[in-house]
Amino acid sequence: MEYTSSELLAVVASRELAGRRTVFAGIGLPTLAASLAHLTVAPELETVYESGVCGAHPSHLPQTIADAVLITGAEAVLSMPALFGYVLQGGHIDVGFLGAAQIDRWGNLNSSVIGDWHSPTARLPGPGGAMEVMANAREVFVVMRRHDRRSFVDELDFCTSPGPDRALAEGFRPFGAGVTRVVTELGILGRTAPGDELRLVAVHPGVTAARVREATGWELAVADDLTTVEPPSAGELRLLRDDVDPARVYLR
Amino acid sequence: MEYTSSELLAVVASRELAGRRTVFAGIGLPTLAASLAHLTVAPELETVYESGVCGAHPSHLPQTIADAVLITGAEAVLSMPALFGYVLQGGHIDVGFLGAAQIDRWGNLNSSVIGDWHSPTARLPGPGGAMEVMANAREVFVVMRRHDRRSFVDELDFCTSPGPDRALAEGFRPFGAGVTRVVTELGILGRTAPGDELRLVAVHPGVTAARVREATGWELAVADDLTTVEPPSAGELRLLRDDVDPARVYLR
Amino acid sequence: MPRSTPDKTTTLREAVAAHVRDGDTVSLEGFTHLIPTAAGHEIIRQGRRDLTLVRMTADIVTDQLLAAGCVRALVSSFVGNSSAGSLGELRRRVEHADPEPLEFEEYSHYGMVCRYLAGAQRLPFYPLHSYAGSDLPRVNPGIRTVTSPYAGERVHVVPPVNPDVTIVHAQRADRAGNTQIWGLTGVQAEAVFAARTAVVVVEEVVADGVVRSDPNRTLIPAHAVDAVVECPRGAHPSFAQGYYDRDNDFYREWSAISAKPDRLRAWLAEWVYGTADHGEYVTKLGEGHWAGLAVGEALSTPVNYGRRL
Amino acid sequence: MPRSTPDKTTTLREAVAAHVRDGDTVSLEGFTHLIPTAAGHEIIRQGRRDLTLVRMTADIVTDQLLAAGCVRALVSSFVGNSSAGSLGELRRRVEHADPEPLEFEEYSHYGMVCRYLAGAQRLPFYPLHSYAGSDLPRVNPGIRTVTSPYAGERVHVVPPVNPDVTIVHAQRADRAGNTQIWGLTGVQAEAVFAARTAVVVVEEVVADGVVRSDPNRTLIPAHAVDAVVECPRGAHPSFAQGYYDRDNDFYREWSAISAKPDRLRAWLAEWVYGTADHGEYVTKLGEGHWAGLAVGEALSTPVNYGRRL
């Protein structure tokens, strides 16, 4: 079956949620991935949103992390002190999904500025809760639609959300593993523990390691056991199209 | 009109609530005083209970600070982090009512032990939230039914809830004024600011300053303008008996 | 024995006139849900200047306050038009000091929450784990560290924020200010408790009995509130759970409106300066528009608080 | 798209057997309301030893656990039989080490709340204003100070508490553990979030739809809960708002029962060891007794969560 880039990313990310209990999801691809995982590899997965929603059962696919349809019928809606303090900082999140404008080889993220913080070329939205997700989730998955040298950089313009290596370097003991998976249009980068660099662990069908290295702003290491991503199955695609996003809110 | 000691104390304490917006009340005489004040000197007074209840409108006189009748029909019920953190420590309480086993001349209170803390002669209930009320209410009223040398002591066996003088001596800037009024079976002791000792400011009809000094464990100072407490009026007693405590739960 | 509750109801015009002064630190909270837009518009109409605006998610109403020249400094953790695009005025001021510079203090979401928590609890600081390794403390001297007196580890801290005035929007309150919110409750209670003065704007001022039938729903008790304003649909283009839905089209439109300074100012002239109050703004949008944001019914199952027999 | 929620329901016997081990730090919370008495009795029946019991208001169930020899150490902020009198066993152990000593760590109420707050938030300490000038820090080395990195003032701090297991009682939960509490909510959510393992005992396990009709009422989300136990009337002699009233007579009676070691032990033999489970305890009390604690109806006014049209 044919599939789009969005469908590929959603399916690949959903598979990574196998066996996880709780996921902190943003809107768009992470929500698609979590919703598909409910139907496939992680039926009991509890999706938690920054807005305070735990265990959403929305009637429609949500358009924001605070969409009214996420609240009606949810299992719990918590205040932000409880959500950020007890749930996230308390260590209850297995996987957090994040995006960013820039990522480096250790999985540090920039979502604040392009250029100098004091007089930026481009002012981006900033940290939001990403810094908290990075510091407190057991691991972080990054989904980046575009894989190019503007986003996969040798050096961040600004480090908004630091991985555990930067925390350790400043003498703080990190809680989680930081970014362990980066899913892009070209393949999957992986990393297991503080000290590790992100390495190319899988490519999508038809993509070469050389092409991924070319699109990456640092000397990207390639895993010895580099694999090719299993394409979305007919079953996965059917669930995604018919059950998860029948109105094609995010699937294009 | 004749009146009991409980009625006298409740009426005298209620008058002290004139013009106050919020009172942190325990059960018994403080609740009677606050309830009477609603009907007399402070109609808009909001009564707050340690249990989390704000603005109670009970159907029956409550028997504990957590009585179910305080919750049904209340204006708000808060969690303990909100009650202690935001309301009390946040500085929203004008007057807190406290009792104690021992009080000294600066209004420091002991509710923990008689004797040594490590091997006490009598283990008392301990701080509860009294320490928080003392530290965070703008002022504290103490109601002590018995006025004798066992309770009004030269030196506390243990200081559970310290007034602002002790905080200052340790280099902490206190928030409230500490104990400003002590209402007893013999009269009223008063104190206005850190550094002040409690002084006898009023006696009940028929009580002499000498008798109060005799019942007090330190050299009790007497105000130059010592007054005699105005006895409960017929109106106050009627409200107390007919409207506040018709079942005679606390009025004996 | 019941107290007679004070009546703090007033109009938005009077509340802003009485409680928001030039130079004030003003907190407007509401995380996507219940954003106090009507209050922001009234601040614009009354021409307040030199405000320090404290708001976790600086979004459309922030861009409008900036464009109207009300704001000297912004304290925030997310400066974007949700997922719908950019805030044009904010970006011009930050990127080009156009038409004037903007002082900007950046925190993370939880950093902002903790600033309110410290403010509400009268604490000198509040600890959190967010900033270890980030560049943010390098550009924000407000973010510091403290060493634990137990195992000796360091932890980051943020300072309290105590706004001169906090304004929040809610579904309902009684006339004394006991305020009930459902759906996303965000950080509204903490922002109110942290403030020296608090104004609550509500969809409905309801009878005392409605509030008292469910005291656990009261997130903000009366003693923390100075003024209560009834202002239906006052959160548009954001939403009020159970009252009206989010105007997602307007969010998308705002990216285009705010991209051009002239177009943004024309919008303000028409929709804010050109309306006497929020009632006119609501009417101007038209009932057809509101019909598109209408929501159906999904009632909570009542709980029994019990009654002594 | 909806998840299929896990089923965590079990019996009190199984929950205690699985989650409470000798030597554990066990938190039982509930401030006057919703005291987890049935869970305490089951711990006694199963003969746990050397527990460190963490409980703000150490009251009747604490005295019973002490008398049954389950508790080595107590962490508490109020050790009394509410306003009804004394806890005989606790006083004997503290005043006379009779029949054995009791390690006792004393905090104030808010100090305990802050210990749970620190535990729930994985913080190394939590600051508060309560202890300045008190003798308590002299006898409790857990209470320390930190200097603010802003104005330089000192503030007291308490350390986190992270119980091995927290057990709370609540009105209702779904089978996954989404727990709804109304009336006094105390510090139950924080005690659960602070714990490594959490057991929720409820008056009723309800259908998912009941909980989901009012998600703001859920104070404890499923992911924080390991076991859900349906145990009606499990809070007696305390109360469950809307279900049954407080047994004030029993509180008064306890002061007499606990005054004499023999009488206390006879009470345990009859009412705890002599009943197989809480169901038998409830039956033994008799329907006449329960009729005296019955409450009438005072329903909350439903709120509308809204539905997309």
Side-chain angles (χ1 to χ4, degrees):
Chain A
M1 270 171 94
E2 292 294 302
Y3 48 86
T4 67
S5 163
S6 295
E7 288 170 338
L8 172 64
L9 292 172
V11 167
V12 170
S14 78
R15 293 173 185 160
E16 301 282 344
L17 292 170
R20 273 28 182 262
R21 286 196 328 148
T22 51
V23 60
F24 200 89
I27 231 59
L29 288 173
T31 286
L32 292 180
S35 298
L36 181 56
H38 282 152
L39 302 173
T40 54
V41 296
E44 297 189 350
L45 185 70
E46 182 177 329
T47 308
V48 177
Y49 290 94
E50 187 175 83
S51 53
V53 178
C54 299
H57 297 259
S59 58
H60 301 67
L61 199 67
Q63 299 197 33
T64 73
I65 55 162
D67 196 317
V69 301
L70 285 172
I71 285 82
T72 303
E75 296 171 34
V77 175
L78 304 181
S79 72
M80 302 204 94
L83 194 280
F84 278 100
Y86 307 166
V87 177
L88 192 45
Q89 193 171 279
H92 290 267
I93 299 299
D94 289 340
V95 175
F97 272 104
L98 290 177
Q102 296 179 330
I103 183 170
D104 71 14
R105 73 187 71 194
W106 296 281
N108 301 306
L109 304 177
N110 173 20
S111 57
S112 291
V113 287
I114 301 301
D116 178 56
W117 187 91
H118 293 282
S119 55
T121 311
R123 175 65 233 190
L124 308 172
M131 197 179 284
E132 280 79 33
V133 173
M134 185 69 99
N136 298 304
R138 281 175 206 286
E139 52 185 319
V140 171
F141 293 173
V142 171
V143 180
M144 303 269 272
R145 213 179 266 273
R146 280 206 337 220
H147 192 142
D148 61 27
R149 285 167 173 265
R150 284 177 52 202
S151 302
F152 290 76
V153 299
D154 191 43
E155 199 171 337
L156 301 178
D157 287 16
F158 185 89
C159 177
T160 312
S161 303
D165 298 289
R166 286 182 60 117
L168 276 166
E170 291 185 3
F172 294 91
R173 191 157 51 90
F175 176 74
V179 174
T180 56
R181 278 286 179 279
V182 184
V183 180
T184 82
E185 56 184 353
L186 299 181
I188 303 175
L189 314 192
R191 187 179 152 280
T192 54
D196 281 3
E197 283 190 22
L198 284 164
R199 288 153 20 114
L200 182 64
V201 296
V203 288
H204 293 308
V207 176
T208 63
R211 184 171 153 210
V212 184
R213 283 167 52 83
E214 177 59 33
T216 302
W218 70 84
E219 274 296 319
L220 178 65
V222 178
D224 294 339
D225 54 350
L226 180 71
T227 58
T228 299
V229 173
E230 185 72 30
S233 70
E236 286 169 326
L237 289 170
R238 208 165 35 238
L239 289 170
L240 198 55
R241 292 169 187 173
D242 298 350
D243 293 339
V244 173
D245 190 8
R248 297 290 189 277
V249 176
Y250 299 111
L251 292 176
R252 287 171 295 235
Chain B
M1 268 171 96
E2 291 294 303
Y3 49 85
T4 66
S5 163
S6 296
E7 288 170 338
L8 173 65
L9 292 172
V11 167
V12 170
S14 79
R15 292 173 185 161
E16 301 283 345
L17 292 170
R20 272 30 182 261
R21 287 196 326 149
T22 51
V23 60
F24 199 90
I27 231 58
L29 288 173
T31 286
L32 292 181
S35 299
L36 181 56
H38 283 151
L39 302 173
T40 54
V41 295
E44 297 189 349
L45 185 70
E46 182 176 329
T47 309
V48 176
Y49 290 93
E50 188 175 82
S51 54
V53 178
C54 300
H57 297 260
S59 58
H60 301 66
L61 198 68
Q63 298 196 35
T64 73
I65 55 162
D67 195 316
V69 301
L70 284 172
I71 285 82
T72 303
E75 297 171 33
V77 176
L78 305 181
S79 71
M80 302 204 93
L83 194 278
F84 278 101
Y86 307 167
V87 177
L88 191 46
Q89 193 172 276
H92 289 267
I93 299 299
D94 290 338
V95 175
F97 272 102
L98 292 176
Q102 295 179 330
I103 182 170
D104 71 13
R105 72 186 73 194
W106 296 282
N108 301 305
L109 304 178
N110 173 19
S111 57
S112 292
V113 287
I114 301 300
D116 177 56
W117 187 91
H118 294 281
S119 57
T121 310
R123 175 65 233 189
L124 308 172
M131 198 180 284
E132 280 78 33
V133 173
M134 184 69 100
N136 297 305
R138 281 173 207 287
E139 52 186 319
V140 171
F141 294 174
V142 172
V143 180
M144 303 269 273
R145 213 178 266 273
R146 280 208 334 222
H147 192 141
D148 60 28
R149 285 166 171 264
R150 284 177 52 201
S151 302
F152 290 76
V153 298
D154 191 43
E155 200 171 339
L156 302 177
D157 287 17
F158 186 88
C159 177
T160 313
S161 303
D165 297 289
R166 286 182 61 118
L168 275 166
E170 291 186 3
F172 294 91
R173 190 156 52 88
F175 176 74
V179 174
T180 57
R181 279 286 179 277
V182 184
V183 180
T184 80
E185 58 183 350
L186 298 181
I188 304 175
L189 313 192
R191 188 180 151 280
T192 55
D196 281 2
E197 282 190 25
L198 284 165
R199 288 155 17 117
L200 182 64
V201 297
V203 286
H204 293 309
V207 177
T208 63
R211 183 171 153 211
V212 185
R213 283 166 53 83
E214 176 59 33
T216 303
W218 70 84
E219 275 295 318
L220 177 65
V222 178
D224 294 339
D225 54 349
L226 180 71
T227 57
T228 299
V229 173
E230 186 70 30
S233 71
E236 287 168 325
L237 289 170
R238 208 164 34 237
L239 290 169
L240 197 56
R241 292 169 186 173
D242 297 350
D243 294 338
V244 174
D245 189 9
R248 297 291 188 277
V249 176
Y250 298 111
L251 293 176
R252 286 170 296 234
Chain C
M1 194 166 17
R3 75 172 185 136
S4 61
T5 51
D7 186 345
K8 298 173 188 163
T9 55
T10 181
T11 64
L12 198 42
R13 185 176 298 150
E14 284 163 4
V16 167
H19 297 300
V20 184
R21 281 154 306 191
D22 289 354
D24 270 1
T25 295
V26 179
S27 163
L28 301 178
E29 281 302 346
F31 189 83
T32 310
H33 185 217
L34 297 173
I35 296 174
T37 312
H41 288 179
E42 186 57 28
I43 290 171
I44 292 173
R45 282 190 202 101
Q46 295 194 19
R48 287 296 174 283
R49 289 291 175 271
D50 290 322
L51 302 180
T52 295
L53 179 61
V54 186
R55 175 156 171 74
M56 287 177 64
T57 50
D59 42 13
I60 291 178
V61 72
T62 307
D63 218 28
Q64 295 168 347
L65 283 158
L66 292 178
C70 304
V71 179
R72 183 180 55 74
L74 176 67
V75 183
S76 182
S77 46
F78 189 88
V79 292
N81 180 14
S82 70
S83 51
S86 278
L87 302 177
E89 186 74 12
L90 184 138
R91 288 192 59 174
R92 283 188 292 277
R93 286 188 61 175
V94 172
E95 295 169 8
H96 308 293
D98 169 23
E100 54 179 333
L102 178 69
E103 289 175 37
F104 180 39
E105 240 181 276
E106 189 171 15
Y107 289 89
S108 60
H109 274 352
Y110 192 45
M112 291 289 288
V113 169
C114 290
R115 293 200 63 189
Y116 285 120
L117 283 167
Q121 294 174 69
R122 211 165 40 82
L123 288 172
F125 60 82
Y126 200 95
L128 74 170
H129 286 303
S130 302
Y131 298 111
S134 172
D135 281 335
L136 210 54
R138 287 183 240 282
V139 298
N140 183 343
I143 302 167
R144 301 187 183 174
T145 64
V146 153
T147 300
S148 165
Y150 301 103
E153 69 273 43
R154 276 188 311 148
V155 63
H156 280 88
V157 296
V158 291
V161 60
N162 291 108
D164 294 305
V165 56
T166 287
I167 309 180
V168 297
H169 193 88
Q171 281 107 333
R172 69 187 186 195
D174 64 21
R175 67 215 153 97
N178 291 295
T179 304
Q180 302 198 324
I181 308 180
W182 58 100
L184 302 177
T185 58
V187 77
Q188 277 96 315
E190 290 72 21
V192 163
F193 274 110
R196 284 180 246 285
T197 311
V199 177
V200 172
V201 186
V202 292
E203 292 295 319
E204 302 181 81
V205 172
V206 294
D208 294 355
V210 173
V211 164
R212 292 185 203 158
S213 83
D214 199 356
N216 287 105
R217 193 85 71 190
T218 304
L219 300 189
I220 303 170
H223 66 251
V225 174
D226 297 277
V228 178
V229 174
E230 187 174 76
C231 180
R233 298 168 170 173
H236 177 270
S238 93
F239 68 110
Q241 192 82 33
Y243 286 76
Y244 46 90
D245 214 336
R246 192 169 186 263
D247 191 345
N248 289 315
D249 290 342
F250 185 76
Y251 276 83
R252 280 185 286 267
E253 208 184 321
W254 184 257
S255 294
I257 293 170
S258 76
K260 304 277 182 205
D262 289 354
R263 190 169 166 201
L264 199 173
R265 277 151 186 80
W267 188 92
L268 284 180
E270 179 178 358
W271 289 92
V272 182
Y273 298 116
T275 54
D277 57 23
H278 195 71
E280 279 195 18
Y281 171 97
V282 167
T283 304
K284 189 171 158 68
L285 275 169
E287 278 310 313
H289 192 90
W290 288 106
L293 304 176
V295 298
E297 200 168 78
L299 296 179
S300 63
T301 308
V303 299
N304 184 20
Y305 277 89
R307 194 169 43 76
R308 186 148 295 158
L309 296 170
Chain D
M1 195 163 17
R3 75 172 185 137
S4 62
T5 51
D7 187 345
K8 299 172 187 163
T9 54
T10 181
T11 63
L12 198 44
R13 185 177 299 150
E14 284 162 5
V16 167
H19 298 299
V20 183
R21 281 154 306 192
D22 288 354
D24 271 1
T25 294
V26 179
S27 163
L28 301 178
E29 280 302 347
F31 189 83
T32 310
H33 184 217
L34 297 172
I35 296 172
T37 312
H41 288 179
E42 185 57 28
I43 290 171
I44 292 172
R45 282 189 201 100
Q46 295 194 20
R48 290 293 175 283
R49 288 291 175 272
D50 290 323
L51 303 180
T52 295
L53 179 61
V54 186
R55 175 156 171 74
M56 286 177 63
T57 48
D59 43 13
I60 291 176
V61 72
T62 307
D63 217 29
Q64 294 169 348
L65 283 157
L66 292 178
C70 304
V71 179
R72 183 181 53 76
L74 176 66
V75 184
S76 182
S77 46
F78 189 88
V79 292
N81 180 13
S82 71
S83 50
S86 280
L87 303 177
E89 186 74 11
L90 184 137
R91 289 192 58 174
R92 283 187 293 276
R93 285 188 63 174
V94 172
E95 295 169 8
H96 307 293
D98 169 21
E100 53 180 333
L102 177 68
E103 290 176 36
F104 180 39
E105 241 182 274
E106 187 171 16
Y107 289 88
S108 60
H109 273 352
Y110 192 46
M112 291 289 288
V113 169
C114 291
R115 294 201 63 191
Y116 285 120
L117 283 166
Q121 295 175 68
R122 213 166 38 81
L123 289 172
F125 59 82
Y126 201 96
L128 74 169
H129 286 303
S130 303
Y131 298 111
S134 172
D135 280 337
L136 210 54
R138 287 182 239 282
V139 297
N140 183 343
I143 301 167
R144 300 187 185 176
T145 65
V146 154
T147 300
S148 165
Y150 301 103
E153 70 272 42
R154 277 189 310 149
V155 63
H156 280 88
V157 296
V158 291
V161 61
N162 291 108
D164 294 304
V165 57
T166 286
I167 309 179
V168 297
H169 193 89
Q171 279 108 334
R172 68 189 185 194
D174 64 21
R175 67 216 153 95
N178 290 294
T179 303
Q180 302 198 321
I181 307 179
W182 57 98
L184 302 177
T185 59
V187 77
Q188 278 96 315
E190 290 72 21
V192 163
F193 275 109
R196 285 181 245 285
T197 312
V199 176
V200 172
V201 186
V202 292
E203 291 295 318
E204 301 181 82
V205 172
V206 294
D208 293 355
V210 173
V211 163
R212 292 185 201 158
S213 82
D214 198 356
N216 287 104
R217 193 86 70 190
T218 304
L219 300 189
I220 303 169
H223 66 252
V225 174
D226 297 276
V228 179
V229 174
E230 186 173 78
C231 180
R233 298 170 170 172
H236 177 270
S238 93
F239 67 111
Q241 192 83 31
Y243 287 76
Y244 46 90
D245 214 336
R246 190 169 188 262
D247 191 346
N248 290 314
D249 290 342
F250 184 76
Y251 275 83
R252 280 184 285 267
E253 207 183 322
W254 185 258
S255 294
I257 294 171
S258 77
K260 304 278 183 205
D262 289 355
R263 190 168 166 201
L264 200 173
R265 278 149 186 81
W267 187 92
L268 284 180
E270 179 177 359
W271 289 92
V272 183
Y273 299 116
T275 54
D277 57 23
H278 195 70
E280 278 194 21
Y281 171 97
V282 167
T283 305
K284 188 172 159 70
L285 275 169
E287 279 309 313
H289 193 89
W290 289 106
L293 303 176
V295 298
E297 201 168 75
L299 295 179
S300 64
T301 307
V303 300
N304 184 20
Y305 277 89
R307 194 169 43 77
R308 185 148 296 160
L309 295 170

